[in-house]
Amino acid sequence: MRNTSSTRPRPRGRVVSDLRPLLGSAQPSPPPHQPAAATMSRGSSNSVFLGVDVGTGSARAGIFDQKGKLLGSASSPIQIWKEKDCIEQSSTDIWHAVCAAVKSACSLANVAPEEVAGLGFAATCSLVAVDADGSPVSVSWSDDTRRNIIVWMDHRAVNQAERINASNSPVLQYCGGSVSPEMQAPKLLWVKENLQESWSMVCRWMDLSDWLAYRATGDDTRSLCTTVCKWTYLGHAHMEQWQESDSRDMEACGWDNVFWEEIGLGDLVEGNCAKIGRSVAFPGHPLGSGLTAAAAKELGLLPGTPVGTPLIDAHAGGVGVMESIPDEQFKADVPDEEAICHRMVLVCGTSTCHMAVSKNKLFVPGVWGPFWSAMVPEFWLTEGGQSATGALLDYITENHVAAPLLSNRASSQSISIYELLNKMLLSMSHEQNSPFLSALTQDIHVLPDFHGNRSPMADPKSKGVIYGLTLDTSEKHLALMYLATIQGIAYGTRHIVEHCNAHGHKIDTLLACGGLAKNSVYIQEHADIIGCQIILPRENEPVLLGAAVLGAVAGKKFPGVRDAMKALNAAGKVVNPSSDPRVKKYHDAKYQIFRSLYEQQLSHRSTMVQALQ
């Protein structure tokens, strides 16, 4: 880590934690906040834990008992505005949705406010802007004050990211060698360069999960998870200090002033980094005095309910699933600290995040990290990702001419269009006497970089490729396109796993969670293509469970995050790769074609650049 010297002093602040235990169209979606979906299972406990997750399209809340069993969950939709590369949301709208989801989940679980022992938040790594009064400040060309969030997937700051990467700052080695336009520094630079009035009005720039915790408690402390993973904060600066077990207040020495000054954002480190966080806490640390009276009333909970320092949603998924190993797979001769390093968690939603940990820091080019203690205390986190997975499947499916007909048929059967497509693929495999289902796509190949390549190429300019198109517009063709897209996504994950293992990781087991993990074809194709066993969690909402872990730790029900993970994580179904050697041979061949599609794209891109010179 760079020494900023006395001429460029580091901000002095606090790292708060008891380190011993914790270690297109501009039209928005409809605004009403009536719960859009809810589930419930029976259960009772003297105390329960509440997890809240704000995703790209909804806010969700879940109640868990002391064994990690989901007692009730609910969701409420949130607004989103999309204009080309600019994607925005409203913090006011999101808070209303959170309150609706929490009240509904508590009602469904038949839980009284006094039973909630702790609350934790998780959210997308979106950027929130508020003024000195906590009111929203617009980050939109529209000047609409509601639109004060730049959503994680927003790519307006590609140019700013390129310029930041050209600085070759030492902090970049902990981002896989370069920042992504999905990280906060490029977005902040874009606002400063394009919306000067908004820039001057903002008092706090916050990650969405940090803002939720701030809105709930009034405590402006930031999470080590958000700051390290998205703000270039160097969490490992505290590796020596955390061993001072009696120390709770420490200098926030992880901000690199020189980096912020070099990229043109030196004003953000003024005032001890007040605008971006002068206090940083380990996930699960109790914030302030718990829920404020106002927030408690809005949420339907009790004032003072403990609130844990938050996590990014994907990282909450990692906390909620990484210890979900079947009892029979625990090996007495393998140390616990080594076993966890053989696992990778796939958090599969709108995008997919690939979370792996190690005891030693491993630098993997093009993959984010290593981040110290950003997810599991005392472990270095490596974070791969694919920027569009669930979003890509939706795009491919919804834009096919056969989609309306299939959608209507699925509705008449009370199933999703993806469940219907899975059934169609099985029928097609039998009809065509295919040796195995995957072989249906031998003539269709997909490079899934429709929103750039986050890992391992770290190329936001990469484009999607579909090879093998014909004039076919039938329902069966849509099914083939859907399967080929799933396979393309799985080949991307295989590329990330192989790349990580080539740089020191030892990943041989995958754990999957999120909406796509409920799709049987999606999971089986991943198992076959990567050649790894995939373990699914017992509970359907591991991101919510990970958030609830934070509340459980803040409420002092467990000594620390890892203890809570071991107590609350539980394994469900185990999916094994096919034992048919023909399946492996087939996917090995398609994987080579997959890799070549990107190489050809680079060559074609170079050809066109030269042609325009």
Side-chain angles (χ1 to χ4, degrees):
M1 192 179 89
R2 179 157 36 169
N3 187 333
T4 54
S5 80
S6 59
T7 60
R8 299 189 181 194
R10 293 185 183 278
R12 293 188 64 84
R14 298 185 299 135
V15 166
V16 187
S17 181
D18 182 346
L19 291 162
R20 286 172 293 178
L22 290 183
L23 268 278
S25 164
Q27 297 301 314
S29 54
H33 295 300
Q34 298 302 318
T39 60
M40 180 180 129
S41 61
R42 295 183 179 180
S44 62
S45 175
N46 292 328
S47 62
V48 297
F49 314 121
L50 172 59
V52 172
D53 170 43
V54 176
T56 306
S58 66
R60 302 178 303 130
I63 304 288
F64 296 86
D65 67 16
Q66 295 185 35
K67 294 185 178 179
K69 185 172 179 58
L70 180 65
L71 304 179
S73 68
S75 68
S76 190
I78 56 179
Q79 293 175 287
I80 189 165
W81 292 267
K82 295 182 180 181
E83 298 174 355
K84 297 183 179 179
D85 287 333
C86 295
I87 308 173
E88 297 149 358
Q89 290 180 322
S90 160
S91 63
T92 302
D93 171 76
I94 284 174
W95 182 253
H96 291 159
V98 166
C99 293
V102 167
K103 290 177 180 177
S104 183
C106 289
S107 176
L108 285 163
N110 194 26
V111 164
E114 58 269 20
E115 293 180 90
V116 179
L119 163 63
F121 290 100
T124 62
C125 47
S126 301
L127 179 65
V128 185
V130 294
D131 64 16
D133 298 324
S135 300
V137 177
S138 177
V139 292
S140 172
W141 284 120
S142 70
D143 291 328
D144 185 342
T145 55
R146 294 175 299 168
R147 295 157 70 165
N148 70 317
I149 297 178
I150 300 179
V151 179
W152 66 269
M153 65 194 301
D154 182 292
H155 272 204
R156 72 182 69 183
V158 169
N159 177 265
Q160 285 75 15
E162 290 178 344
R163 284 188 277 132
I164 290 171
N165 292 330
S167 72
N168 292 318
S169 169
V171 303
L172 299 181
Q173 65 181 312
Y174 292 93
C175 305
S178 62
V179 296
S180 161
E182 295 174 15
M183 292 179 176
Q184 308 304 12
K187 292 174 180 175
L188 289 164
L189 186 56
W190 184 94
V191 175
K192 183 175 183 178
E193 293 178 345
N194 292 278
L195 301 174
Q196 289 86 357
E197 184 176 354
S198 291
W199 182 259
S200 65
M201 293 172 60
V202 175
C203 179
R204 290 182 176 89
W205 293 100
M206 309 185 79
D207 238 71
L208 179 54
S209 60
D210 284 325
W211 179 83
L212 290 166
Y214 168 67
R215 179 67 175 77
T217 66
D219 188 337
D220 188 23
T221 298
R222 313 300 174 90
S223 170
L224 190 67
C225 175
T226 60
T227 53
V228 168
C229 295
K230 304 302 172 185
W231 295 73
T232 71
Y233 187 85
L234 301 177
H236 54 281
H238 307 291
M239 289 184 70
E240 293 181 7
Q241 291 155 308
W242 78 263
Q243 295 176 356
E244 300 171 11
S245 58
D246 293 331
S247 173
R248 290 178 64 86
D249 298 325
M250 299 186 298
E251 180 184 4
C253 55
W255 293 117
D256 189 321
N257 290 16
V258 178
F259 166 74
W260 293 98
E261 292 166 2
E262 286 177 347
I263 67 172
L265 294 175
D267 42 342
L268 291 180
V269 297
E270 296 173 356
N272 291 345
C273 296
K275 290 187 177 182
I276 58 175
R278 64 176 67 176
S279 298
V280 180
F282 282 64
H285 174 79
L287 293 172
S289 300
L291 288 179
T292 63
K297 183 177 180 180
E298 293 170 315
L299 292 164
L301 301 172
L302 294 183
T305 300
V307 177
T309 305
L311 286 164
I312 299 168
D313 54 355
H315 302 65
V319 167
V321 85
M322 189 158 256
E323 292 288 355
S324 299
I325 302 297
D327 292 339
E328 61 272 17
Q329 293 195 16
F330 280 104
K331 300 177 181 178
D333 58 336
V334 178
D336 186 49
E337 290 195 347
E338 180 182 336
I340 196 172
C341 297
H342 286 256
R343 306 167 196 162
M344 174 178 276
V345 176
L346 309 184
V347 186
C348 316
T350 301
S351 63
T352 293
C353 291
H354 308 70
M355 323 293 284
V357 298
S358 58
K359 284 302 291 182
N360 300 313
K361 59 182 177 183
L362 300 173
F363 293 97
V364 184
V367 179
W368 295 346
F371 304 131
W372 185 70
S373 288
M375 188 176 76
V376 180
E378 301 180 61
F379 284 82
W380 293 86
L381 170 67
T382 294
E383 180 185 352
Q386 294 166 289
S387 294
T389 51
L392 177 57
L393 287 171
D394 289 344
Y395 175 83
I396 293 293
T397 303
E398 293 169 2
N399 285 282
H400 196 282
V401 68
L405 199 61
L406 274 183
S407 182
N408 289 336
R409 189 184 306 164
S411 295
S412 68
Q413 298 178 28
S414 298
I415 59 175
S416 72
I417 190 171
Y418 297 117
E419 289 175 293
L420 180 57
L421 287 168
N422 289 348
K423 289 183 177 181
M424 289 177 59
L425 289 169
L426 288 173
S427 297
M428 291 166 62
S429 182
H430 292 311
E431 291 170 6
Q432 299 179 25
N433 198 26
S434 177
F436 42 86
L437 187 143
S438 302
L440 291 170
T441 60
Q442 60 179 313
D443 295 325
I444 305 177
H445 308 280
V446 174
L447 181 70
D449 295 354
F450 285 56
H451 199 56
N453 184 289
R454 187 189 299 170
S455 304
M457 307 316 299
D459 182 359
K461 293 184 177 180
S462 183
K463 302 294 188 291
V465 177
I466 302 175
Y467 176 94
L469 289 175
T470 69
L471 295 178
D472 191 351
T473 59
S474 67
E475 298 172 6
K476 290 184 177 180
H477 180 261
L478 172 52
L480 294 177
M481 288 292 297
Y482 159 73
L483 178 58
T485 303
I486 287 176
Q487 291 170 343
I489 293 168
Y491 296 132
T493 294
R494 174 172 168 174
H495 192 188
I496 293 169
V497 172
E498 290 183 353
H499 190 66
C500 288
N501 284 345
H503 287 84
H505 282 280
K506 301 176 181 179
I507 300 159
D508 57 23
T509 300
L510 303 180
L511 300 101
C513 64
L516 293 177
K518 302 170 187 177
N519 184 323
S520 59
V521 171
Y522 187 91
I523 292 299
Q524 188 63 60
E525 289 297 296
H526 274 69
D528 292 346
I529 286 168
I530 303 163
C532 284
Q533 181 183 76
I534 299 182
I535 301 171
L536 303 177
R538 180 190 66 192
E539 303 301 324
N540 284 330
E541 298 289 356
V543 176
L544 290 177
L545 176 58
V549 162
L550 305 173
V553 176
K556 307 299 183 184
K557 298 300 181 181
F558 294 95
V561 168
R562 189 84 188 278
D563 303 277
M565 289 170 62
K566 291 179 179 179
L568 301 178
N569 287 188
K573 182 179 180 181
V574 177
V575 178
N576 292 301
S578 171
S579 58
D580 187 341
R582 297 175 300 171
V583 173
K584 183 181 185 305
K585 181 180 179 181
Y586 175 82
H587 285 305
D588 285 347
K590 285 203 73 171
Y591 179 60
Q592 293 307 312
I593 294 172
F594 164 85
R595 294 288 299 272
S596 72
L597 291 177
Y598 179 74
E599 297 301 325
Q600 291 173 32
Q601 178 180 158
L602 289 181
S603 175
H604 298 162
R605 190 190 300 175
S606 175
T607 298
M608 296 312 300
V609 168
Q610 294 175 20
L612 290 171
Q613 288 178 346

